[in-house]
Amino acid sequence: MTEQEPTSARKPPNRGDESVVKLVLQYFKLVALLLLVWILGYFDFSPSWLLLGLFVYMWHDKHQKKRKEQIRISQGAALNEKEVIQARVEDLPSWVFFPDVERAEWLNKVSSQLWPYIGDYVTTLLKEKVEPKIVSNLPPGLRSFKFDRIDLGDIAPRVGGVKVYTEHVRRNEIILDMELCYASDADIRVKIKGMTAGIKDLQVRGTLRIEVKPLLNVMPLIGGITVFFLNKPKIDFNLTNLANALDVPGLSDILHTIVEDQICAFMVLPNRIPIPIAKNIDVVKLRYPPPQGVLRIHAVGAKDLKRADINLFGRGKSDPFLKMYVGAKAFKTKTISNTINPIWNEFFETPIDQRDGQILEIRALDEDPGNKNDKIGNVSVDIQYVADQGLMDSWLPLENVETGLLHMRLIWLNLSPDPEELDKALAQCELAWSEEHLSAAVLMVTIDSAQNLPVFAKKSMTDPSPYVVVSVGNNKEETSIKFTTDRPVWEENFQFLVHNPRIQELDIEVKDDKTKKRLGTLIFPIKYLLSEDNMTKQQPFPLRDSGPDSRINLRMCLRILTSAPPPEEQSMADIFIVKPKPPESSTTPTETSEESPSHGVDDTDDRSSEKMLDGSRNSYDPNASPSMQPNLTRRRSGQSVGSRASATGSDAGLGRIEVTIRYSSQRNRLVVVVHRCIKLIPPDNNTGDPYVRLYLLPDRYHHNKKKTQVVKNNLNPVYDETFEFAVNQRDAQQRTLDISVKNAVSVFSKSKTDMGRVYIELAQLDLNKATTKLYYLQDTNLNRSRRESPST
């Protein structure tokens, strides 16, 4: 019995038929062009429209020729690398330049032999597995979706070189980098409502890292494999059929950016593809290992940049800004107008998963509103070099331009499991040159699963489609949606940079994608992790505002940022930790909370105020008794009339606001950080949309007013916003800080706008150090005449 040949190996199409089709299409294009010219003349349109159309056509034609040439060279290299190298020496593979990179011609021969069978497998997979899932998630009007043609082509992916690391690796792991070049002749088309669109000539080029770990002394000898791109790969493709209408200037760039972002979200660091091989492998730990450190980026400024703008008298200046890329993450500075010597003085921070091999790519651009931004240089920095040095403060020459220097200050921070390092990290954040809201720790949160979620759709009684919104301060992340289940399993990990773990909280909301209703909430003060073993906590947590037995399984790990050398690397035996069994049905959320250890973080004198703070925030408190825990529900959508009256009659007043105040002597600025408000009283018995307004009295001019963003439908808003007042320290000591919490209303609304006010006498504070306090809000008319000067 002979083996069945793959369907991908079929006869090539008739070239004569293709030439006739091309001739007909060219004929109709010329007729359409002549018709357009005639219409412009008939209706007396300005010749400028014709010149504009001619310019677009010439740009498109030149762009297409360039892309076709690149595709031809790439496809030729995939078929016959030797001839292409001899004809074009500037695109040599990496093994030519680097002696530690080896050729892998045997691997290319194997992949070429397997490629037709892989094509058949992918076709079956897309048709039988992917297509039904896409159809089920589309609106009813678009459920005619189907793959009309799936052809991966005859050109297999090619490996240009392989580098196997022998230094800075553990004994029980193998790390290798593969230079992947996929210059395909693939043709994939989809069909919806009779309309066909597709892509062809897909090109992907980048460095693919493969981690084989851990190595075992029993079969199969390998625990698992992880695959990912270290940096964003170069991606290009051509559109076909109806999608070809998007291949115009502007839309084409947007489409390519969307495709690149989707690929980055799939397999560019910190995203990985785990492949477990041995049994009992914890896929979550294989896919989400802890980061190796944090890179703090200080974009100081630049000088002698390229003059990109043109004015009436010749060359003008530029409107420069920076875009920085680390793996799939991107950062952007503000734009400095009309200068070639900009000063940004901005800070950015990002966790680094692989310092060996990753780069910081910096692009200097000139902002042109309405047009494509001009490139005025770029530079790349090896993150491994920064990690080895600890600090790099340099003027970097920009590449691909004749002039331009970039001043960058890069700091590498290691992760420490020692909570004693927190005070040092906080002190480092308060250095004279660190004027931004920098981080002292990194929090890693794994959303594992949930059980017994409530069902709100009473008519259909169908299970919800839950997802989780995880936030720390203003940083929010979302899990994927798990359709139609009350016991979802996400197994997703998120990383948050934390400024001060002693005052910040982890906020979790479980929502239903169908009804948009909240299925449960949890607020966990990060300070409790400081007293946990290895600053790690993993257990089921009861959800508030949810069902009686609703729980969410979390794993939280806190690490302090430090410039000290990292601790000795631990073995990877923890990858094989078997997941704990879910609690039995007889265990209640109260029992779970009761079993959790009780720890105190702050001093004894501060415990009473901290308990009050936890109660006002309605957060998880391991010190609370089981009888108190069920009452710690968070009110997000307002309070009742009775609760408002009781709050007004108590010592809570109109709520409280938490701020940090300090003075920066180097920049001569008074720095005020508005953290959050607690237990605000809603105006007119409605849920408020609060924001905070600040004045430094006696100045009440409009340009001196500071405002936070508006937080919708929340009486416990979190802002974490920083404001600065230009004043010398002697005058600052004699000023009064006026802080008002206001309700954002429309122009024609009759609702009250004032929600509370507090006056802070700066003479009573030591401005040389940061002071973080909770202040009670009072009636806005209290002492107004005494403290405020007349408005100008």
Side-chain angles (χ1 to χ4, degrees):
M1 184 174 181
T2 61
E3 184 180 359
Q4 184 178 359
E5 292 294 328
T7 58
S8 298
R10 49 182 174 275
K11 294 182 179 180
N14 192 335
R15 299 298 180 185
D17 295 340
E18 288 187 358
S19 61
V20 173
V21 172
K22 290 182 178 179
L23 182 63
V24 172
L25 290 176
Q26 187 176 6
Y27 170 76
F28 280 107
K29 286 182 179 180
L30 291 175
V31 170
L33 180 61
L34 293 175
L35 181 62
L36 178 62
V37 173
W38 179 82
I39 292 175
L40 291 175
Y42 182 81
F43 289 100
D44 294 329
F45 279 94
S46 172
S48 301
W49 291 101
L50 182 61
L51 294 177
L52 179 62
L54 181 62
F55 172 77
V56 172
Y57 173 77
M58 293 175 61
W59 180 90
H60 183 268
D61 184 65
K62 180 180 179 180
H63 184 64
Q64 287 294 324
K65 288 181 179 179
K66 182 179 179 180
R67 291 178 60 183
K68 288 180 181 179
E69 179 68 14
Q70 291 176 346
I71 293 172
R72 184 186 66 80
I73 294 173
S74 300
Q75 292 180 351
L79 294 174
N80 195 329
E81 186 181 42
K82 184 177 180 180
E83 291 183 2
V84 174
I85 289 176
Q86 293 175 349
R88 188 179 180 89
V89 296
E90 62 266 27
D91 289 335
L92 297 178
S94 58
W95 57 265
V96 178
F97 301 101
F98 305 105
D100 54 350
V101 177
E102 303 175 359
R103 295 190 66 182
E105 198 60 34
W106 65 271
L107 187 59
N108 292 323
K109 292 179 180 179
V110 171
S111 64
S112 179
Q113 191 76 11
L114 286 173
W115 190 243
Y117 299 92
I118 295 175
D120 287 348
Y121 170 76
V122 172
T123 300
T124 304
L125 178 67
L126 293 178
K127 282 282 189 182
E128 298 181 359
K129 299 290 182 65
V130 177
E131 184 178 301
K133 291 184 178 179
I134 294 177
V135 171
S136 63
N137 292 322
L138 287 175
L142 299 178
R143 290 188 176 175
S144 60
F145 172 91
K146 69 174 183 178
F147 286 100
D148 187 55
R149 177 182 175 87
I150 303 173
D151 182 11
L152 296 187
D154 300 324
I155 302 177
R158 184 172 185 82
V159 178
V162 177
K163 177 181 179 180
V164 181
Y165 289 87
T166 57
E167 298 179 355
H168 306 294
V169 295
R170 299 186 181 98
R171 291 182 301 173
N172 56 350
E173 68 178 2
I174 300 173
I175 298 178
L176 56 93
D177 290 344
M178 299 176 59
E179 183 186 357
L180 181 67
C181 177
Y182 181 40
S184 73
D185 54 347
D187 186 6
I188 301 176
R189 305 174 191 172
V190 298
K191 199 169 186 178
I192 302 178
K193 288 183 170 291
M195 296 181 293
T196 304
I199 63 173
K200 66 176 183 179
D201 300 331
L202 175 65
Q203 297 184 76
V204 180
R205 187 183 185 95
T207 300
L208 191 70
R209 171 157 293 187
I210 300 176
E211 293 183 346
V212 181
K213 63 180 182 181
L215 303 180
L216 311 174
N217 56 4
V218 295
M219 293 303 292
L221 301 181
I222 295 174
I225 299 176
T226 309
V227 181
F228 53 89
F229 281 104
L230 285 170
N231 304 289
K232 291 179 64 174
K234 296 181 180 178
I235 302 172
D236 197 8
F237 52 86
N238 288 326
L239 301 173
T240 62
N241 301 98
L242 183 63
N244 198 32
L246 300 176
D247 196 8
V248 296
L251 290 178
S252 178
D253 295 337
I254 294 174
L255 184 62
H256 278 71
T257 301
I258 293 174
V259 173
E260 288 181 1
D261 291 343
Q262 293 301 315
I263 293 179
C264 289
F266 178 57
M267 58 182 308
V268 178
L269 277 179
N271 307 294
R272 309 163 186 250
I273 299 179
I275 306 173
I277 296 178
K279 295 181 179 180
N280 299 327
I281 284 289
D282 191 340
V283 181
V284 175
K285 293 184 178 180
L286 190 66
R287 184 174 184 178
Y288 303 111
Q292 296 182 353
V294 170
L295 181 65
R296 181 173 292 164
I297 306 169
H298 184 190
V300 182
K303 64 180 181 180
D304 300 332
L305 293 179
K306 176 183 176 182
R307 301 175 185 267
D309 296 334
I310 301 176
N311 56 27
L312 296 176
F313 303 100
R315 283 285 181 178
K317 296 185 178 180
S318 298
D319 302 321
F321 68 95
L322 298 181
K323 291 193 73 172
M324 294 165 282
Y325 301 90
V326 180
K329 298 179 181 178
F331 308 95
K332 180 179 180 295
T333 67
K334 59 187 176 184
T335 301
I336 308 297
S337 301
N338 197 29
T339 181
I340 59 173
N341 300 301
I343 300 295
W344 292 290
N345 198 31
E346 294 189 52
F347 289 83
F348 306 92
E349 295 174 316
T350 177
I352 300 297
D353 294 270
Q354 292 285 335
R355 63 187 184 186
D356 188 4
Q358 274 199 286
I359 61 172
L360 169 64
E361 182 182 357
I362 308 173
R363 300 177 186 175
L365 301 170
D366 171 57
E367 185 176 59
D368 289 329
N371 299 314
K372 186 176 181 180
N373 296 324
D374 298 325
K375 298 178 181 179
I376 54 177
N378 63 276
V379 65
S380 298
V381 180
D382 185 5
I383 296 179
Q384 179 65 52
Y385 174 80
V386 180
D388 293 339
Q389 299 295 322
L391 169 65
M392 189 190 82
D393 190 351
S394 304
W395 285 90
L396 305 175
L398 292 173
E399 301 174 359
N400 301 321
V401 288
E402 297 180 356
T403 179
L405 292 173
L406 191 62
H407 188 190
M408 301 294 297
R409 182 184 288 123
L410 305 177
I411 300 176
W412 176 263
L413 299 170
N414 294 304
L415 306 184
S416 172
D418 184 7
E420 300 295 332
E421 295 285 340
L422 180 58
D423 290 331
K424 298 179 183 178
L426 291 173
Q428 187 178 13
C429 293
E430 301 297 335
L431 290 176
W433 56 268
S434 299
E435 299 298 334
E436 298 288 331
H437 208 54
L438 301 180
S439 303
V442 58
L443 175 66
M444 291 158 280
V445 182
T446 300
I447 309 295
D448 183 77
S449 58
Q451 292 89 31
N452 304 321
L453 295 178
V455 178
F456 289 117
K458 297 182 179 180
K459 294 182 179 180
S460 57
M461 290 303 293
T462 58
D463 289 329
S465 296
Y467 67 97
V468 180
V469 180
V470 193
S471 61
V472 175
N474 292 326
N475 299 322
K476 290 187 178 182
E477 300 287 350
E478 291 186 5
T479 68
S480 58
I481 301 172
K482 299 301 178 181
F483 294 96
T484 317
T485 176
D486 65 338
R487 304 178 68 87
V489 177
W490 292 285
E491 294 185 339
E492 297 185 30
N493 182 273
F494 303 99
Q495 299 171 356
F496 296 95
L497 291 168
V498 182
H499 172 66
N500 191 343
R502 293 194 178 112
I503 63 175
Q504 290 187 269
E505 295 174 327
L506 174 68
D507 193 345
I508 292 179
E509 283 185 281
V510 184
K511 293 185 175 181
D512 181 14
D513 184 63
K514 297 178 182 178
T515 62
K516 306 302 180 183
K517 291 184 177 180
R518 191 180 301 112
L519 301 177
T521 63
L522 172 68
I523 300 176
F524 185 88
I526 304 175
K527 64 181 181 180
Y528 292 132
L529 293 176
L530 295 171
S531 299
E532 294 289 339
D533 184 24
N534 199 31
M535 292 198 293
T536 302
K537 191 176 186 65
Q538 180 175 2
Q539 72 173 53
F541 292 87
L543 289 171
R544 310 304 176 191
D545 302 328
S546 187
D549 297 325
S550 299
R551 293 184 296 273
I552 185 168
N553 298 316
L554 303 178
R555 182 182 187 272
M556 296 170 286
C557 179
L558 185 68
R559 290 293 180 264
I560 309 300
L561 303 186
T562 176
S563 56
E568 295 182 1
E569 294 182 342
Q570 301 176 354
S571 65
M572 286 186 293
D574 59 345
I575 293 182
F576 290 90
I577 294 177
V578 181
K579 297 181 180 179
K581 296 181 180 180
E584 299 179 0
S585 58
S586 60
T587 305
T588 64
T590 303
E591 293 170 350
T592 304
S593 301
E594 191 174 10
E595 293 172 359
S596 61
S598 299
H599 297 287
V601 179
D602 299 290
D603 297 335
T604 306
D605 296 335
D606 297 330
R607 286 179 182 174
S608 59
S609 61
E610 287 298 329
K611 287 185 178 181
M612 184 186 300
L613 174 61
D614 292 335
S616 62
R617 286 281 289 156
N618 304 314
S619 60
Y620 171 87
D621 184 4
N623 293 319
S625 62
S627 61
M628 293 172 60
Q629 285 288 347
N631 295 325
L632 297 179
T633 57
R634 183 177 188 179
R635 291 187 292 271
R636 291 178 176 267
S637 58
Q639 298 173 325
S640 63
V641 177
S643 64
R644 178 182 178 181
S646 61
T648 306
S650 66
D651 294 334
L654 299 178
R656 290 187 291 174
I657 184 170
E658 183 180 33
V659 297
T660 297
I661 303 173
R662 67 183 177 90
Y663 189 83
S664 171
S665 57
Q666 181 170 351
R667 296 181 60 191
N668 292 329
R669 295 288 191 274
L670 177 69
V671 182
V672 181
V673 182
V674 180
H675 294 292
R676 57 182 173 172
C677 295
I678 299 173
K679 212 170 185 180
L680 297 176
I681 301 301
D684 301 330
N685 297 329
N686 295 319
T687 303
D689 300 331
Y691 69 94
V692 180
R693 189 267 296 147
L694 300 92
Y695 279 118
L696 188 60
L697 300 181
D699 295 337
R700 285 185 52 82
Y701 297 101
H702 180 74
H703 63 273
N704 290 330
K705 181 172 65 174
K706 312 291 185 183
K707 293 198 312 181
T708 67
Q709 63 181 349
V710 178
V711 178
K712 297 285 188 179
N713 299 326
N714 199 331
L715 298 177
N716 296 289
V718 178
Y719 301 101
D720 283 333
E721 296 188 38
T722 304
F723 303 97
E724 295 182 355
F725 295 91
V727 59
N728 61 59
Q729 187 169 4
R730 180 179 297 178
D731 289 343
Q733 291 286 165
Q734 301 174 1
R735 299 289 191 98
T736 300
L737 187 62
D738 175 11
I739 303 178
S740 295
V741 181
K742 293 183 172 291
N743 180 33
V745 297
S746 61
V747 178
F748 303 101
S749 175
K750 296 182 180 180
S751 299
K752 293 181 179 180
T753 59
D754 297 323
M755 302 180 70
R757 171 175 293 189
V758 61
Y759 295 100
I760 303 175
E761 301 289 351
L762 299 183
Q764 300 176 2
L765 301 179
D766 183 3
L767 298 181
N768 293 319
K769 63 180 182 180
T771 302
T772 302
K773 285 186 178 181
L774 280 165
Y775 295 91
Y776 284 100
L777 296 171
Q778 301 296 334
D779 194 325
T780 56
N781 296 320
L782 184 64
N783 294 331
R784 179 193 296 265
S785 59
R786 182 174 66 88
R787 295 183 179 271
E788 297 184 12
S789 63
S791 179
T792 301

